[in-house]
Each structure stands twice: as structure tokens, then as C-alpha cells.
Amino acid sequence: MISEKMKPLVANNSVIRVMFEEGKRLASIYGAENVYDFSLGNPNVPAPKEVNEAIVETLMEEESTFVHGYMSNAGYEDVRATIADSLNQRFGTAFHQNNILMTVGAASGLNVILKTILNPGDQVIAFAPYFVEYGGYVRNYDGELVVVSPNTVDFQPNLDEFVEKINEKTKAVIINTPNNPTGVVYSDATLTRLGEILREKEKEFGTEIVLISDEPYRELAYDGVEVPYVTKYYANTVVCYSYSKSLSLPGERIGYLVIPDEMKDSTEVFTAATIANRVNGCVNAPSLMQRVIKRCIEKGASVNLEAYDRNRNRLYEGLRECGFTCIKPEGAFYLFVKSPIPDEKEFCATAQKYNLLLVPGSSFACPGYVRIAYCVSYEQIERSMPAFEKLAQEYKLK
Amino acid sequence: MISEKMKPLVANNSVIRVMFEEGKRLASIYGAENVYDFSLGNPNVPAPKEVNEAIVETLMEEESTFVHGYMSNAGYEDVRATIADSLNQRFGTAFHQNNILMTVGAASGLNVILKTILNPGDQVIAFAPYFVEYGGYVRNYDGELVVVSPNTVDFQPNLDEFVEKINEKTKAVIINTPNNPTGVVYSDATLTRLGEILREKEKEFGTEIVLISDEPYRELAYDGVEVPYVTKYYANTVVCYSYSKSLSLPGERIGYLVIPDEMKDSTEVFTAATIANRVNGCVNAPSLMQRVIKRCIEKGASVNLEAYDRNRNRLYEGLRECGFTCIKPEGAFYLFVKSPIPDEKEFCATAQKYNLLLVPGSSFACPGYVRIAYCVSYEQIERSMPAFEKLAQEYKLK
Ligand SMILES: Cc1ncc(COP(=O)(O)O)c(C=O)c1O
Ligand SMILES: Cc1ncc(COP(=O)(O)O)c(C=O)c1O
């Protein structure tokens, strides 16, 4: 009954499902508190109190048919203007409301822009390790995902290999900073060079290449590290933002695209993206949440970053003491740890014996590493430490 | 910059949406009260009070990371179970939570099921007049929309032509009852015959044909007319439901698919549809609204149908008195009026001189008619009557 395109997705889904079912099975045997599930990027830090305040205020102060009604497919104009202003204040940009398109989260924003620009056979480049869903999104529009292999020294993108992989079929490049799964923030130097390469290659091939900056973790950066604003480095940039992590609203499906004036055919791209948002069935980003985002920006709401930072430090130090190797993440809420054996899937299986659920790096096109999502309670991290120690002992890491 | 597939969409940007923008422009010139915008199916009847009550109760009684968090891509299990129970009570069906997949409205539900089943080149049949977005949805997955011409006697589907148009490439049939734009409810006799035809053709061609029942107007039926539940007539039925109209929540993007056990490969279709919902970027239906739907069902919330009914009667009588011809709708909130001249686009242009915004029937593959959406205030209908009278006079209808 199902389509040919869906068949591999259903087949590969079962792999992830096995892990999910395994977690539930372990919890039923050992008790949920004795299973250390680090597999999911589902924030445990609650949405800031301003979110629920803004919801109630919206319901009290704004008209029902307006709050819950259809609006322009790009979103409410005042919401988009507020977002543009806020970006301009924080990053010195010059956006206006017609650069901002409200989306059903970043996942949908990525689909909207890919649907807008991709022709069948077009190539989209991603840097390993990368969010594995990109492959599915690109194939939705019959594009081909081309992967640049990881630079495991510091997990900045491997730009030498990147230069080699760009060709006349390259339509887009996806970057994600702060990065899932490494927590690395792409540096000013990286983005400067990336922009140069893209401009050179556009000239060489006489093409336009869109740089898609997937930024659900922009606000999650630690130790005062700066996350450069990507539109400043390259004109044909589309930013894909989400409030899933920055306001802990992943279930609500709210984010936006930035399509800057500097982009080639900017107005047409914006119109087409607005139509893509409608035709793919989203129609518009959820209306109440749009109203809420405006108020949250005005209130200066932000998620409790200290909680993640505390988790980050505790887990990083703890794992280092056990003898594990990983670079300290500057952003997001993931640690990317080197597997003590080349086959990190086997390592994950061993970890499961100690009720530790970790995601193999091959799920991010980066075998030999595992991802630990620390968007969990501090208590879970504390409780998991003896398990990590036993795991380290099994591999004689100390 | 934009893809070949998007180009015609940009060129023919939804007439209805363009009118929506035009209505806003006219309102800014003449004042909102002097523009009679009947173009958009955006409910003017507010959401029932239970909706906002349920929102506040959810925020007070349920945990933030749960209410706003990711959940299973198919939606919260308790919400899906509540919907299944409610359907079973009202329609004598036997659904369970794993037949219900929460979606980002009906538009997204349609995309999810089409993505799940369509291979390139597959044909999908729709009965004119039909919701024009179907064409875009089908082409998203490289399918071909095949249109059965309208039966302008009573606007039940033209089943004789339908029989002729089914072939070995037919993968799905979309019906929409109560219908946009006619307001017609498909009868028991129609659905019985439709089911028979599909079973015969499945046998003849050795294929499976999915009947997709697009039902955003199910709850909007007048004079006690019964809207038959389509899964009872044909096993391979998928229901596509939305709360956009039944609870006046179109901006919130909340609805569901029913994938019944009776359907061939039901479990696999459900799994694939859940993955399609994730990969197309929706990930899940908005979480707070899912929680709210559960409470609204428990509270027995429903929209103020009397308001639409009053509009329906006033407009129908008023137009008839002016000399216009139309059948009285039994459901939804649209009147489908015969254009006094063959070129109904010209008629719509003339109507616009009187600040009357009507949608040409060719937008629904049914030229010679115009759609009037009466989900507006009663006052707008009253105020618009002199404009309709002048329009009728211009065509000497009396
Ligand atoms: C890198 C990356 N991109 C996109 C997404 C999707 O985010 P959203 O919930 O906004 O769709 C995620 C979610 O985990 C992510 O990690
Ligand atoms: C027949 C029909 N199908 C689907 C839709 C889309 O509804 P939703 O807002 O649930 O996506 C509409 C909206 O007007 C409609 O009229």
C-alpha cells in the first residue's frame, strides 16, 4: 500500500524504534529512575514563565477569531516585524517583516526552503556530523544529500573537502551552529572562509548556491561565546530558526525563516516560500504561538541556560574523570564522545547493559563517536555517573 | 532561484489568497464595514468558550515540559484514545488510538496520507467542484489529479463519469462532504454506490484504491441532516479531519487522520504516515492544542452553529429575492451561486465594483458559478444586500 519512497524510511525507522522500545523495556524492569536515557533532544528545562503568562494575556486581550484564525500564510505581520526588530537590535542586521516567514518549527522551515529551491537531482551539501533528518528532507524534493566527512580534530567543518565537493549541481549547503551533535559553534574564521568559497564557486560555475543556516540552538551558547550571524558572511543565506529549544516549546511547532533582501531574487523566493508553506499543508505557523512569541520577545523571555550549563559541566567533568575523550561543547545540549572502540554501535550496546542509552555517531554520519543529550535532569546525570564509571572500567579507560 | 515546480504555483498564486489581500486593501480605502469580503473560509464565529478554558486549565494542571514538549510523532496517546472513543460513540465505529494520527490541520493530513501512498505518475481522482489545493497536494508527490466534471443538477458526484475515469493508475479518490464550495452533503445512496464502484474497480484492476474523505465541515450541517461516516461504506478509507471550522481554530493547525484497521496494510500505513508527518517537517501536531482538543471533547464543546445557519438562511433568501440561482446548502458555510453570465470571472470583477468579493467557480474547476463564504458577521450580510441588489440589477435578473 505504501509508496516506494516511504519504504526505506519505514525500514530504517525500525532501528530507532528498537532503541525507544528498549528504553521502555529497561524502565519497566529496573524502574525509570535507574535507566539513563540520554538519547533524545527533548528539553527537560521548562518553558520560561513568560510563555504561559503570554498565552493567558493573549487570550484575555486579543480577539478569539484573530488569535485562532487564519492569517497571511507568512504569519502575522506584527509578529514578523517584532522578530525582525529583535534580530536587528541583537545582530546589527537590517531585516523587516517581509524577510521573516513564520514556520512550523525548524524542521518545517527546512522543508519549506528546500521545496522552494530544489529541482530533482540538485545536490545539497551537509557537514558530518549532521542532523540525520536532513537526508529525508532533501529526498522529499528528489535532491541528493552530499556529505563532507567530519573533521574530528575540532569539529569545525572540513572546508578543504567542501571545496572539492561543490559542483554545478550544488544548489544548497546546510550548516548547523551551535551544532547537533557536537555542541561546536562555527567560528568567525570558519564562516568567513565558507562565504569566500561559496562566492568563488558561484562564479566558477555560474550558479547560485543557497547557504541554509539551521539554528535551533542559537540561544544555547555557554561561557559567553558569540554565535556569529550567518547572513553577514554570505548574501544567499537563509536562516532557519526555531523556538523548540530556546523557549523549550518543541511540541508547539514554532519557528521562522529569514530570507534577507541581499539574497538573489529575494522577493520571489519569499513569495515562493510562503506558497510552499501553504501547499505542503502547514498553511501557517500555529497562530496562538505566533502571538505568544511576540509577547515573549517584548518580555525578554529566555530559557534557564544555567541548568544546561550545570549539566554540561557536570557531565563533561564526570566523563573526563572516567577516562572518556570529548571536546567541551560551547553550545546546544549535546556531548559528542569518542567511542573507546572503533565500532561505536557495539559500544552503545555495551552501554545499554548499564542502562545507559546513547546514540551511535553513525546516526549522524560520524561513526566512532556517540551522542549524549544532556537536556535531562541534573539528578539523572548524577545518578548515571556510577554507570559511566563501570562502562569505562569495562574498556579499561583508567 | 526558485524550483521549476514552484514556478507555476507562484504564477497562479491562490486566487482566494490574493483576494484576501485585496480585501484588506479595499478595507483600508473604503473602511472595513463597506467592503463585503465573502472570499475566505475563515470562521467569524469565535471558538467556543471551552477552548480558552481548556487552554488555561491545561497550563494550570499539566506539566510544562509535557504540554509543550515533543511526544510520539502520531500525537499524545490519551488524546488519540479520546478522539477514537468520541467517534465510536457518535458513529458506531470501533476505532482505537492507533487508528488516530494527529495532524497540522486537514491540509497537512491530506499531504501526509498522499505522501504515504503516492508513487510518481499515480492518479488521484477528485469531483468538481473541489477544493483547489488538492491539485498542489497531489503534485507535491508527483501524482496526477484527474477531475470528474461537475453534476450541476444537485452537485452530488458524477458517478457515471467516475466509473470511466478509474484505471490501473488510480491510487486514491478524494471526496469532501459537506462540500466546499457547494455546501452539499453526500447522501447514503451516493456513498453506497461509490463504495461499490471502488470495490469493483479494485477487483477489475487488481489494485488498491484509497478513498480519502476530507471532512473539515463534518460538524457544520443544518436542518438535522445526517453526514454519513465514510469508513462504513468502504474499507480502504482514510478520514482527514480538522478542528479549523468545527471549533473555529483554523490558525492553530490541528486535526487528525483516521486510518482504520479495515484498511489494507493498516499498521504499515499508520507507521508510514507517522514517519511522513515527521519527515515533511511537521514532526507532530501542535502539542498544547492536542491537550486542548481532549478537554474540549470531554466538555462537549461545539461551535455556535445557529449563527452560520442564520447567515445561510438570510443570504440564501436575499440572493433568491435578487433573482440569483443557487441550491440551498445543507452543510459547511458556502453558497455556490450560478453566474448570470457564462464567464463568472467577469461577473466577479463586476461584483468587485460594488465591493463584493466573491470567488470564481473556475477556482474549483466549476466555471459558471461563484462561491460566497458566509462565515462572516450577520451584519456584513445585511449590509451587503443593497450591493447584491445593484449587482442583480446590472444583470437585469428581476
Ligand atoms: C539540528 C536540528 N535541526 C532541526 C531540528 C528540528 O527542530 P524543530 O523542533 O524546530 O523542528 C532539530 C531538533 O532536534 C535539530 O537538532
Ligand atoms: C475542503 C477543505 N479541505 C481542507 C481545508 C484545509 O483545512 P485546514 O485548515 O484544516 O488545513 C479546507 C479549508 O478551507 C477546506 O475547505
Side-chain angles (χ1 to χ4, degrees):
Chain A
M1 193 60 118
I2 70 171
S3 74
E4 292 303 319
K5 244 180 158 174
M6 286 307 299
K7 281 181 188 167
L9 285 166
V10 172
N12 295 338
N13 194 52
S14 58
V15 179
I16 299 161
R17 217 186 164 80
V18 163
M19 186 165 204
F20 180 68
E21 296 301 335
E22 180 65 7
K24 285 206 292 193
R25 194 184 67 82
L26 292 175
S28 74
I29 299 173
Y30 301 103
E33 72 284 3
N34 299 315
V35 177
Y36 316 112
D37 189 346
F38 292 102
S39 66
L40 293 174
N42 199 7
N44 83 303
V45 171
K49 68 176 190 330
E50 289 90 344
V51 166
N52 287 3
E53 283 171 14
I55 293 174
V56 173
E57 284 166 20
T58 303
L59 299 185
M60 277 171 14
E61 294 167 18
E62 304 185 40
E63 223 258 287
S64 171
T65 56
F66 176 72
V67 170
H68 302 304
Y70 288 129
M71 80 302 302
S72 296
N73 295 135
Y76 293 106
E77 291 176 5
D78 60 339
V79 176
R80 289 151 54 201
T82 302
I83 290 171
D85 288 349
S86 160
L87 292 174
N88 296 343
Q89 275 165 37
R90 289 182 293 149
F91 305 113
T93 49
F95 301 131
H96 51 82
Q97 65 181 50
N98 290 333
N99 300 128
I100 310 291
L101 195 165
M102 304 305 296
T103 63
V104 174
S108 188
L110 287 163
N111 271 277
V112 165
I113 190 62
L114 290 171
K115 181 173 180 62
T116 300
I117 61 172
L118 283 194
N119 285 313
D122 281 353
Q123 293 184 351
V124 178
I125 298 179
F127 297 94
Y130 67 90
F131 184 53
V132 71
E133 297 287 283
Y134 294 161
Y137 302 163
V138 168
R139 282 184 291 275
N140 281 341
Y141 312 103
D142 299 308
E144 186 194 339
L145 191 77
V146 173
V147 178
V148 173
S149 57
N151 153 15
T152 53
V153 178
D154 60 5
F155 289 106
Q156 293 284 325
N158 182 338
L159 294 182
D160 294 335
E161 189 177 318
F162 177 54
V163 171
E164 300 301 316
K165 290 212 160 151
I166 304 173
N167 62 40
E168 60 285 334
K169 284 185 176 174
T170 308
K171 184 72 200 186
V173 177
I174 308 180
I175 59 172
N176 165 225
T177 165
N179 187 264
N180 172 10
T182 66
V184 163
V185 174
Y186 286 10
S187 67
D188 174 71
T190 293
L191 293 172
T192 303
R193 183 75 193 110
L194 194 74
E196 279 167 14
I197 294 169
L198 286 171
R199 278 185 294 274
E200 280 163 22
K201 290 291 175 179
E202 283 191 329
K203 206 179 260 174
E204 179 180 340
F205 297 115
T207 54
E208 305 285 339
I209 304 175
V210 179
L211 179 60
I212 300 173
S213 182
D214 178 28
E215 310 193 344
Y217 304 100
R218 165 162 291 280
E219 263 66 56
L220 275 56
Y222 310 104
D223 302 331
V225 68
E226 206 205 317
V227 183
Y229 209 77
V230 181
T231 58
K232 294 180 187 171
Y233 295 84
Y234 182 65
N236 282 334
T237 297
V238 171
V239 174
C240 192
Y241 186 81
S242 167
Y243 294 97
S244 288
K245 323 287 165 148
S246 61
L247 291 179
S248 286
L249 297 174
E252 302 298 355
R253 316 308 305 135
I254 184 79
Y256 60 81
L257 289 176
V258 184
I259 297 172
D261 286 346
E262 293 71 30
M263 185 170 186
K264 175 103 176 1
D265 301 337
S266 173
T267 310
E268 195 189 22
V269 172
F270 190 86
T271 303
T274 303
I275 295 171
N277 195 36
R278 189 189 87 221
V279 175
N280 75 4
C282 288
V283 179
N284 55 252
S287 51
L288 172 60
M289 281 301 143
Q290 290 191 47
R291 309 298 321 149
V292 166
I293 291 303
K294 177 168 189 263
R295 289 176 187 262
C296 282
I297 291 173
E298 287 161 359
K299 289 166 187 274
S302 68
V303 92
N304 178 6
L305 206 59
E306 290 72 43
Y308 292 132
D309 197 13
R310 191 164 166 240
N311 286 356
R312 177 179 74 119
N313 288 317
R314 178 69 187 93
L315 193 60
Y316 178 72
E317 297 305 336
L319 291 175
R320 296 268 296 199
E321 273 165 34
C322 293
F324 289 105
T325 309
C326 73
I327 58 155
K328 189 165 185 181
E330 294 183 297
F333 41 47
Y334 307 103
L335 273 173
F336 206 51
V337 180
K338 195 162 166 44
S339 164
I341 51 171
D343 180 355
E344 94 284 1
K345 286 184 182 166
E346 190 193 315
F347 174 62
C348 286
T350 309
Q352 261 187 40
K353 285 199 315 192
Y354 301 100
N355 290 346
L356 287 165
L357 299 184
L358 319 177
V359 182
S362 45
S363 295
F364 306 91
C366 191
Y369 289 79
V370 299
R371 188 189 79 172
I372 306 183
Y374 59 82
C375 49
V376 298
S377 71
Y378 189 75
E379 292 65 39
Q380 176 177 326
I381 294 176
E382 282 291 352
R383 276 200 314 269
S384 71
M385 276 303 152
F388 277 114
E389 255 161 50
K390 281 182 216 148
L391 182 62
Q393 274 159 21
E394 181 154 346
Y395 289 100
K396 303 197 175 31
L397 296 186
K398 265 202 307 203
Chain B
M1 194 59 118
I2 69 171
S3 74
E4 292 304 318
K5 243 179 159 174
M6 286 307 300
K7 281 180 187 166
L9 285 167
V10 173
N12 315 317
N13 196 359
S14 167
V15 177
I16 298 174
R17 281 287 169 173
V18 169
M19 288 189 102
F20 180 59
E21 306 293 343
E22 177 66 6
K24 287 203 292 191
R25 195 185 68 83
L26 291 175
S28 74
I29 300 174
Y30 299 103
E33 71 285 3
N34 299 315
V35 177
Y36 316 112
D37 188 346
F38 293 103
S39 66
L40 198 67
N42 199 6
N44 84 304
V45 171
K49 67 175 189 333
E50 288 90 344
V51 165
N52 287 3
E53 283 172 13
I55 293 174
V56 173
E57 284 166 18
T58 303
L59 299 185
M60 278 172 10
E61 295 168 17
E62 303 185 40
E63 224 260 286
S64 172
T65 55
F66 175 71
V67 170
H68 301 303
Y70 288 128
M71 81 300 303
S72 155
N73 296 136
Y76 293 105
E77 292 177 4
D78 60 339
V79 176
R80 289 152 54 202
T82 302
I83 290 170
D85 288 349
S86 160
L87 292 174
N88 296 344
Q89 274 166 36
R90 288 183 294 148
F91 304 113
T93 48
F95 302 131
H96 50 82
Q97 66 181 49
N98 289 334
N99 300 129
I100 310 291
L101 195 164
M102 303 306 296
T103 64
V104 174
S108 188
L110 287 163
N111 270 277
V112 165
I113 189 62
L114 290 171
K115 181 173 181 61
T116 301
I117 61 171
L118 283 194
N119 284 313
D122 281 352
Q123 294 184 352
V124 178
I125 297 179
F127 297 95
Y130 67 90
F131 185 52
V132 71
E133 297 289 281
Y134 294 160
Y137 302 162
V138 167
R139 282 184 292 274
N140 280 341
Y141 312 102
D142 300 308
E144 187 195 339
L145 191 77
V146 173
V147 178
V148 173
S149 57
N151 153 15
T152 54
V153 178
D154 60 6
F155 288 106
Q156 293 285 324
N158 183 337
L159 294 182
D160 293 337
E161 190 177 318
F162 177 54
V163 171
E164 300 301 316
K165 290 212 161 151
I166 304 174
N167 61 40
E168 60 288 331
K169 284 185 176 172
T170 307
K171 184 72 198 184
V173 177
I174 308 181
I175 59 172
N176 165 225
T177 165
N179 187 263
N180 172 8
T182 65
V184 163
V185 174
Y186 286 10
S187 66
D188 174 72
T190 293
L191 293 173
T192 303
R193 181 77 193 110
L194 194 75
E196 278 167 14
I197 294 169
L198 286 171
R199 279 186 294 273
E200 279 163 22
K201 290 292 176 180
E202 283 191 329
K203 208 179 260 174
E204 179 180 341
F205 296 115
T207 54
E208 306 283 339
I209 305 174
V210 179
L211 179 61
I212 300 174
S213 181
D214 178 26
E215 310 193 343
Y217 304 100
R218 164 162 292 281
E219 263 68 56
L220 275 57
Y222 310 103
D223 301 332
V225 68
E226 205 204 319
V227 183
Y229 208 78
V230 181
T231 57
K232 295 181 187 172
Y233 294 85
Y234 182 65
N236 280 334
T237 297
V238 171
V239 174
C240 192
Y241 186 81
S242 167
Y243 293 97
S244 288
K245 323 286 165 150
S246 62
L247 291 179
S248 285
L249 297 174
E252 303 298 354
R253 316 307 305 133
I254 184 80
Y256 60 81
L257 290 176
V258 184
I259 298 172
D261 285 346
E262 293 72 29
M263 185 173 187
K264 175 99 172 11
D265 299 337
S266 173
T267 310
E268 195 189 22
V269 171
F270 190 87
T271 303
T274 303
I275 295 170
N277 195 37
R278 189 190 87 222
V279 175
N280 75 4
C282 288
V283 180
N284 55 252
S287 51
L288 172 60
M289 281 301 143
Q290 290 191 46
R291 309 297 321 150
V292 166
I293 291 304
K294 177 167 189 262
R295 288 176 188 261
C296 282
I297 291 173
E298 287 161 359
K299 289 167 188 274
S302 68
V303 93
N304 178 5
L305 206 59
E306 289 74 43
Y308 291 133
D309 198 15
R310 190 162 166 240
N311 287 356
R312 177 179 75 120
N313 288 317
R314 178 71 186 90
L315 193 61
Y316 177 73
E317 298 304 335
L319 291 175
R320 296 268 297 198
E321 272 165 34
C322 292
F324 289 104
T325 310
C326 73
I327 57 157
K328 189 163 187 183
E330 294 182 298
F333 41 47
Y334 307 105
L335 272 173
F336 207 51
V337 179
K338 197 162 166 44
S339 165
I341 50 172
D343 181 353
E344 92 285 0
K345 285 184 183 168
E346 190 192 313
F347 174 61
C348 287
T350 308
Q352 211 160 309
K353 286 198 316 194
Y354 301 100
N355 288 348
L356 287 166
L357 299 185
L358 319 178
V359 182
S362 45
S363 295
F364 306 91
C366 190
Y369 289 78
V370 298
R371 189 191 77 172
I372 305 184
Y374 59 81
C375 49
V376 299
S377 71
Y378 189 77
E379 292 65 40
Q380 176 177 325
I381 294 176
E382 282 290 352
R383 277 199 313 272
S384 71
M385 277 303 153
F388 276 115
E389 253 161 49
K390 281 182 214 145
L391 183 62
Q393 273 159 23
E394 183 156 345
Y395 289 100
K396 303 196 171 41
L397 295 187
K398 265 201 308 202

